[in-house]
Protein backbone atom coordinates (compact mmCIF):
# COMPACT_ATOMS: atom_id res chain seq x y z
CA UNK A 1 0.00 0.00 0.00
CA UNK A 2 1.09 3.58 -0.68
CA UNK A 3 -0.04 6.72 1.13
CA UNK A 4 -0.33 10.45 0.48
CA UNK A 5 -1.49 13.22 2.80
CA UNK A 6 -1.79 17.00 2.95
CA UNK A 7 -2.77 17.79 6.53
CA UNK A 8 -6.49 17.68 5.72
CA UNK A 9 -6.79 14.26 4.10
CA UNK A 10 -4.95 10.97 4.18
CA UNK A 11 -5.34 8.58 1.24
CA UNK A 12 -4.14 4.99 0.76
CA UNK A 13 -3.68 3.16 -2.56
CA UNK A 14 -3.19 -0.41 -3.69
CA UNK A 15 -0.85 -0.79 -6.69
CA UNK A 16 -3.04 -3.69 -7.84
CA UNK A 17 -5.55 -1.86 -10.00
CA UNK A 18 -4.21 1.52 -8.82
CA UNK A 19 -7.16 1.31 -6.45
CA UNK A 20 -8.00 3.96 -3.90
CA UNK A 21 -8.14 1.93 -0.67
CA UNK A 22 -8.65 4.50 2.08
CA UNK A 23 -9.66 8.14 2.49
CA UNK A 24 -9.61 9.59 5.99
CA UNK A 25 -10.17 13.04 7.47
CA UNK A 26 -10.33 13.98 11.16
CA UNK A 27 -10.31 10.32 12.13
CA UNK A 28 -13.29 9.42 9.92
CA UNK A 29 -12.82 6.79 7.22
CA UNK A 30 -14.97 7.74 4.23
CA UNK A 31 -14.06 4.92 1.86
CA UNK A 32 -15.57 1.45 2.11
CA UNK A 33 -13.24 -0.94 3.93
CA UNK A 34 -13.54 -3.92 1.56
CA UNK A 35 -15.08 -6.31 4.09
CA UNK A 36 -15.41 -9.57 2.07
CA UNK A 37 -18.66 -10.46 3.83
CA UNK A 38 -20.28 -7.79 1.66
CA UNK A 39 -17.92 -6.76 -1.17
CA UNK A 40 -14.14 -7.24 -1.16
CA UNK A 41 -13.27 -4.27 -3.34
CA UNK A 42 -13.13 -0.59 -2.46
CA UNK A 43 -12.90 1.72 -5.48
CA UNK A 44 -11.91 -0.23 -8.60
CA UNK A 45 -11.29 1.26 -12.04
CA UNK A 46 -13.44 -0.17 -14.84
CA UNK A 47 -11.77 -0.82 -18.22
CA UNK A 48 -12.15 -1.77 -21.04
CA UNK A 49 -15.79 -2.52 -20.21
CA UNK A 50 -18.32 -1.37 -17.67
CA UNK A 51 -20.66 -4.01 -16.29
CA UNK A 52 -21.05 -7.56 -17.51
CA UNK A 53 -20.78 -8.98 -21.01
CA UNK A 54 -23.42 -11.41 -22.17
CA UNK A 55 -21.96 -14.90 -21.63
CA UNK A 56 -18.89 -13.07 -20.25
CA UNK A 57 -17.54 -12.82 -23.77
CA UNK A 58 -17.57 -10.47 -26.74
CA UNK A 59 -16.81 -10.54 -30.45
CA UNK A 60 -14.13 -8.22 -31.84
CA UNK A 61 -13.31 -8.38 -35.57
CA UNK A 62 -15.01 -11.76 -35.78
CA UNK A 63 -13.06 -13.34 -32.91
CA UNK A 64 -14.45 -14.20 -29.48
CA UNK A 65 -12.76 -12.84 -26.35
CA UNK A 66 -13.61 -13.66 -22.74
CA UNK A 67 -13.73 -10.97 -20.08
CA UNK A 68 -15.17 -10.79 -16.58
CA UNK A 69 -17.47 -8.12 -15.19
CA UNK A 70 -16.06 -4.57 -15.36
CA UNK A 71 -13.02 -5.69 -17.34
CA UNK A 72 -9.55 -6.59 -16.11
CA UNK A 73 -7.66 -3.40 -15.29
CA UNK A 74 -8.78 -3.58 -11.65
CA UNK A 75 -6.75 -6.79 -11.16
CA UNK A 76 -3.52 -5.74 -12.88
CA UNK A 77 -0.34 -4.49 -11.21
CA UNK A 78 0.52 -0.83 -11.72
CA UNK A 79 3.98 0.68 -11.42
CA UNK A 80 4.58 4.00 -9.67
CA UNK A 81 5.66 6.71 -12.10
CA UNK A 82 6.06 9.45 -9.50
CA UNK A 83 5.18 10.17 -5.90
CA UNK A 84 5.26 13.13 -3.58
CA UNK A 85 3.57 13.98 -0.28
CA UNK A 86 0.19 14.88 -1.81
CA UNK A 87 0.25 13.15 -5.22
CA UNK A 88 0.91 9.73 -6.71
CA UNK A 89 0.94 8.55 -10.35
CA UNK A 90 0.48 4.91 -11.41
CA UNK A 91 0.99 3.29 -14.83
CA UNK A 92 0.17 0.04 -16.55
CA UNK A 93 0.40 -1.12 -20.18
CA UNK A 94 -0.95 -3.92 -22.32
CA UNK A 95 0.73 -7.31 -22.10
CA UNK A 96 0.53 -10.59 -24.00
CA UNK A 97 -2.04 -11.71 -21.42
CA UNK A 98 -4.28 -8.65 -21.86
CA UNK A 99 -4.15 -9.02 -25.65
CA UNK A 100 -5.75 -12.43 -25.22
CA UNK A 101 -8.75 -10.74 -23.57
CA UNK A 102 -8.79 -7.43 -25.43
CA UNK A 103 -6.75 -7.13 -28.65
CA UNK A 104 -5.70 -3.49 -28.31
CA UNK A 105 -2.48 -1.87 -27.17
CA UNK A 106 -3.09 0.68 -24.45
CA UNK A 107 -1.27 2.50 -21.69
CA UNK A 108 -3.09 3.85 -18.66
CA UNK A 109 -1.75 6.47 -16.25
CA UNK A 110 -3.75 7.14 -13.09
CA UNK A 111 -3.03 10.23 -11.02
CA UNK A 112 -4.37 10.92 -7.53
CA UNK A 113 -3.82 14.31 -5.91
CA UNK A 114 -5.02 15.89 -2.67
CA UNK A 115 -6.30 19.46 -2.88
CA UNK A 116 -7.54 20.92 0.40
CA UNK A 117 -10.38 18.64 1.51
CA UNK A 118 -10.70 16.93 -1.89
CA UNK A 119 -9.14 13.93 -3.58
CA UNK A 120 -8.82 14.37 -7.34
CA UNK A 121 -8.43 11.27 -9.49
CA UNK A 122 -7.67 11.26 -13.20
CA UNK A 123 -7.08 8.44 -15.67
CA UNK A 124 -5.31 9.00 -19.00
CA UNK A 125 -5.64 6.22 -21.57
CA UNK A 126 -3.28 6.22 -24.55
CA UNK A 127 -3.81 4.18 -27.71
CA UNK A 128 -0.36 2.68 -28.43
CA UNK A 129 -1.64 0.57 -31.31
CA UNK A 130 -2.12 1.22 -35.01
CA UNK A 131 -5.92 0.95 -35.13
CA UNK A 132 -8.87 2.68 -33.49
CA UNK A 133 -9.34 1.41 -29.94
CA UNK A 134 -12.92 1.12 -28.62
CA UNK A 135 -13.55 0.93 -24.88
CA UNK A 136 -15.77 1.83 -21.95
CA UNK A 137 -14.48 3.36 -18.75
CA UNK A 138 -15.75 3.99 -15.25
CA UNK A 139 -15.01 4.59 -11.59
CA UNK A 140 -16.57 2.46 -8.83
CA UNK A 141 -15.89 4.04 -5.40
CA UNK A 142 -17.67 2.67 -2.35
CA UNK A 143 -18.36 4.91 0.64
CA UNK A 144 -19.06 3.94 4.21
CA UNK A 145 -22.71 4.51 5.00
CA UNK A 146 -23.14 5.28 7.82
CA UNK A 147 -20.00 7.27 8.58
CA UNK A 148 -20.56 7.89 12.27
CA UNK A 149 -21.55 5.81 15.34
CA UNK A 150 -25.23 5.58 16.25
CA UNK A 151 -26.28 6.20 12.63
CA UNK A 152 -27.85 3.85 10.11
CA UNK A 153 -27.95 3.46 6.34
CA UNK A 154 -31.39 5.07 6.22
CA UNK A 155 -30.05 8.23 7.88
CA UNK A 156 -28.39 9.15 4.58
CA UNK A 157 -29.60 10.63 1.31
CA UNK A 158 -28.12 11.20 -2.13
CA UNK A 159 -28.57 14.75 -3.43
CA UNK A 160 -28.33 15.53 -7.14
CA UNK A 161 -26.94 18.69 -8.67
CA UNK A 162 -29.92 18.82 -11.05
CA UNK A 163 -33.34 17.11 -10.88
CA UNK A 164 -33.20 13.76 -12.67
CA UNK A 165 -36.06 12.03 -14.48
CA UNK A 166 -35.26 8.47 -15.53
CA UNK A 167 -36.29 4.83 -15.74
CA UNK A 168 -33.81 2.49 -14.11
CA UNK A 169 -33.72 -0.79 -16.08
CA UNK A 170 -34.27 -4.20 -14.59
CA UNK A 171 -31.08 -6.17 -14.03
CA UNK A 172 -31.01 -9.92 -14.63
CA UNK A 173 -27.78 -11.72 -13.68
CA UNK A 174 -25.80 -8.57 -14.36
CA UNK A 175 -27.40 -7.91 -17.76
CA UNK A 176 -29.87 -5.13 -18.48
CA UNK A 177 -33.47 -5.36 -19.60
CA UNK A 178 -33.35 -1.93 -21.18
CA UNK A 179 -37.03 -1.98 -22.14
CA UNK A 180 -38.23 -2.90 -18.64
CA UNK A 181 -38.03 -0.46 -15.75
CA UNK A 182 -37.36 -1.54 -12.19
CA UNK A 183 -38.01 2.00 -10.91
CA UNK A 184 -39.14 5.26 -12.44
CA UNK A 185 -38.27 8.67 -11.01
CA UNK A 186 -39.47 12.14 -12.02
CA UNK A 187 -37.59 15.30 -11.07
CA UNK A 188 -35.61 13.44 -8.44
CA UNK A 189 -33.33 15.79 -6.54
CA UNK A 190 -32.97 13.72 -3.37
CA UNK A 191 -32.93 9.95 -2.92
CA UNK A 192 -33.48 8.86 0.67
CA UNK A 193 -31.56 5.64 1.14
CA UNK A 194 -32.99 2.33 2.26
CA UNK A 195 -31.68 -1.13 1.51
CA UNK A 196 -34.90 -2.15 -0.25
CA UNK A 197 -34.03 0.17 -3.14
CA UNK A 198 -31.33 -2.28 -4.21
CA UNK A 199 -33.29 -5.52 -4.00
CA UNK A 200 -33.13 -5.74 -7.80
CA UNK A 201 -29.47 -4.64 -8.03
CA UNK A 202 -28.17 -1.21 -9.07
CA UNK A 203 -30.12 1.95 -9.77
CA UNK A 204 -28.89 3.14 -13.18
CA UNK A 205 -29.29 6.64 -14.56
CA UNK A 206 -28.63 6.85 -18.30
CA UNK A 207 -27.71 10.28 -19.68
CA UNK A 208 -27.41 11.85 -16.26
CA UNK A 209 -27.70 15.65 -16.21
CA UNK A 210 -25.92 16.20 -12.90
CA UNK A 211 -22.15 16.54 -12.74
CA UNK A 212 -22.09 15.84 -9.01
CA UNK A 213 -24.02 13.98 -6.35
CA UNK A 214 -23.63 14.22 -2.58
CA UNK A 215 -23.98 11.50 0.04
CA UNK A 216 -25.12 13.27 3.21
CA UNK A 217 -26.52 12.56 6.65
CA UNK A 218 -29.17 14.71 8.31
CA UNK A 219 -26.53 17.16 9.50
CA UNK A 220 -25.20 17.72 5.98
CA UNK A 221 -21.99 15.76 6.58
CA UNK A 222 -20.61 13.31 4.06
CA UNK A 223 -19.04 13.58 0.62
CA UNK A 224 -19.71 15.21 -2.74
CA UNK A 225 -18.60 13.25 -5.81
CA UNK A 226 -17.90 15.34 -8.91
CA UNK A 227 -17.80 13.45 -12.24
CA UNK A 228 -17.96 15.87 -15.23
CA UNK A 229 -17.95 14.24 -18.64
CA UNK A 230 -19.48 10.92 -17.59
CA UNK A 231 -22.69 9.82 -19.28
CA UNK A 232 -24.28 7.51 -16.73
CA UNK A 233 -24.31 6.88 -13.00
CA UNK A 234 -24.78 3.61 -11.17
CA UNK A 235 -25.87 3.60 -7.52
CA UNK A 236 -25.35 0.25 -5.84
CA UNK A 237 -25.32 -1.60 -2.56
CA UNK A 238 -25.32 -5.43 -2.48
CA UNK A 239 -28.87 -6.83 -2.68
CA UNK A 240 -30.13 -8.64 0.38
CA UNK A 241 -27.10 -7.98 2.59
CA UNK A 242 -27.95 -4.70 4.33
CA UNK A 243 -24.36 -3.69 3.66
CA UNK A 244 -23.01 -0.57 5.45
CA UNK A 245 -21.82 1.14 2.28
CA UNK A 246 -23.01 2.64 -0.99
CA UNK A 247 -21.26 2.83 -4.36
CA UNK A 248 -21.57 5.90 -6.57
CA UNK A 249 -20.31 4.87 -10.00
CA UNK A 250 -19.71 7.32 -12.88
CA UNK A 251 -19.71 5.40 -16.16
CA UNK A 252 -19.03 5.81 -19.84
CA UNK A 253 -20.84 2.68 -20.98
CA UNK A 254 -22.77 0.00 -19.12
CA UNK A 255 -23.55 -3.71 -19.09
CA UNK A 256 -24.80 -5.65 -22.09
CA UNK A 257 -28.52 -6.07 -22.64
CA UNK A 258 -30.02 -9.52 -22.19
CA UNK A 259 -30.64 -9.69 -25.95
CA UNK A 260 -27.16 -8.46 -26.97
CA UNK A 261 -25.55 -10.11 -30.00
CA UNK A 262 -22.19 -9.66 -28.16
CA UNK A 263 -20.56 -7.64 -30.96
CA UNK A 264 -18.22 -5.29 -29.12
CA UNK A 265 -18.47 -2.24 -31.36
CA UNK A 266 -22.24 -2.18 -30.76
CA UNK A 267 -21.77 -1.60 -27.02
CA UNK A 268 -23.26 1.56 -25.58
CA UNK A 269 -21.27 4.77 -25.20
CA UNK A 270 -17.98 3.42 -26.51
CA UNK A 271 -15.01 5.74 -26.74
CA UNK A 272 -13.29 5.30 -30.13
CA UNK A 273 -9.69 6.40 -29.62
CA UNK A 274 -7.46 7.09 -32.61
CA UNK A 275 -3.92 5.65 -32.71
CA UNK A 276 -1.45 7.79 -30.79
CA UNK A 277 -4.25 9.78 -29.14
CA UNK A 278 -5.17 9.89 -25.47
CA UNK A 279 -8.41 10.08 -23.51
CA UNK A 280 -8.85 11.51 -20.02
CA UNK A 281 -11.57 11.14 -17.40
CA UNK A 282 -11.58 12.22 -13.80
CA UNK A 283 -13.46 12.66 -10.56
CA UNK A 284 -13.23 14.63 -7.34
CA UNK A 285 -14.27 13.41 -3.90
CA UNK A 286 -14.97 16.43 -1.69
CA UNK A 287 -15.23 15.91 2.06
CA UNK A 288 -18.15 17.74 3.67
CA UNK A 289 -17.53 17.73 7.41
Amino acid sequence: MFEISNGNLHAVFNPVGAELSGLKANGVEYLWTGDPRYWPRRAPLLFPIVGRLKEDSTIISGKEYSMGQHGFIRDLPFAIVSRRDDEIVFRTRYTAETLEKYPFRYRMDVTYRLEGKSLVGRAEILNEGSEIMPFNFGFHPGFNCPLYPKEGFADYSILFEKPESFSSPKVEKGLLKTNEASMVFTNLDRLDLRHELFAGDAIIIFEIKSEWVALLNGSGKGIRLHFPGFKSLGIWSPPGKEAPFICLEPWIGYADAVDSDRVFIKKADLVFLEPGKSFEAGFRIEILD
Side-chain angles (χ1 to χ4, degrees):
M1 295 290 183
F2 296 89
E3 303 177 8
I4 59 175
S5 62
N6 69 350
N8 294 304
L9 295 179
H10 181 82
V12 180
F13 305 92
N14 189 338
V16 176
E19 184 176 13
L20 174 64
S21 298
L23 184 63
K24 186 176 288 189
N26 296 324
V28 177
E29 178 58 69
Y30 288 84
L31 200 75
W32 168 237
T33 59
D35 186 336
R37 290 178 299 171
Y38 301 102
W39 183 56
R41 301 182 187 269
R42 302 184 185 202
L45 305 176
L46 314 181
F47 173 87
I49 60 170
V50 172
R52 185 174 295 281
L53 297 172
K54 185 177 180 180
E55 299 177 14
D56 290 325
S57 63
T58 192
I59 299 168
I60 302 174
S61 298
K63 183 178 178 180
E64 184 172 274
Y65 294 86
S66 296
M67 205 183 314
Q69 186 176 26
H70 293 317
F72 52 75
I73 209 79
R74 62 185 183 172
D75 295 318
L76 295 185
F78 280 68
I80 293 181
V81 176
S82 65
R83 182 185 177 194
R84 63 190 193 200
D85 288 347
D86 61 355
E87 182 181 275
I88 191 166
V89 182
F90 294 95
R91 174 175 292 171
T92 194
R93 296 178 69 239
Y94 74 92
T95 64
E97 289 76 17
T98 67
L99 290 171
E100 292 178 359
K101 299 178 180 180
Y102 174 71
F104 299 97
R105 291 167 167 77
Y106 65 87
R107 189 186 83 195
M108 181 184 292
D109 288 357
V110 182
T111 301
Y112 296 102
R113 184 176 65 258
L114 297 175
E115 297 180 354
K117 290 188 176 182
S118 293
L119 170 71
V120 178
R122 178 156 293 274
E124 180 184 10
I125 300 167
L126 174 66
N127 182 354
E128 294 191 328
S130 58
E131 56 186 321
I132 293 173
M133 182 172 73
F135 60 88
N136 293 140
F137 182 78
F139 293 110
H140 196 317
F143 298 98
N144 284 325
C145 184
L147 291 168
Y148 302 98
K150 298 182 181 180
E151 290 184 335
F153 189 82
D155 293 320
Y156 283 73
S157 300
I158 295 172
L159 275 65
F160 296 84
E161 177 198 16
K162 299 175 182 178
E164 303 287 346
S165 298
F166 63 96
S167 297
S168 181
K170 288 186 177 179
V171 181
E172 183 179 278
K173 297 181 179 179
L175 303 178
L176 305 186
K177 291 188 170 183
T178 52
N179 294 323
E180 297 184 37
S182 63
M183 286 175 281
V184 177
F185 297 93
T186 302
N187 293 323
L188 179 71
D189 57 8
R190 175 191 180 109
L191 179 67
D192 295 325
L193 291 180
R194 61 186 194 279
H195 289 294
E196 294 78 11
L197 288 169
F198 306 99
D201 213 294
I203 296 172
I204 300 172
I205 308 173
F206 300 130
E207 305 297 335
I208 188 166
K209 300 180 181 67
S210 300
E211 292 191 345
W212 61 257
V213 296
L215 173 67
L216 303 175
N217 66 9
S219 300
K221 295 182 178 181
I223 62 97
R224 182 181 288 119
L225 177 66
H226 302 258
F227 48 92
F230 285 85
K231 295 188 175 182
S232 302
L233 182 73
I235 304 172
W236 176 78
S237 193
K241 294 186 177 183
E242 297 196 355
F245 74 95
I246 187 81
C247 288
L248 304 175
E249 309 173 36
W251 297 339
I252 301 173
Y254 43 84
D256 279 356
V258 293
D259 58 354
S260 169
D261 63 7
R262 301 189 298 126
V263 175
F264 192 79
I265 60 170
K266 295 181 182 179
K267 282 185 65 58
D269 294 341
L270 283 171
V271 175
F272 291 94
L273 190 60
E274 297 281 348
K277 301 295 184 180
S278 63
F279 164 87
E280 293 189 15
F283 69 90
R284 176 190 292 265
I285 300 171
E286 178 186 0
I287 303 301
L288 305 174
D289 60 356

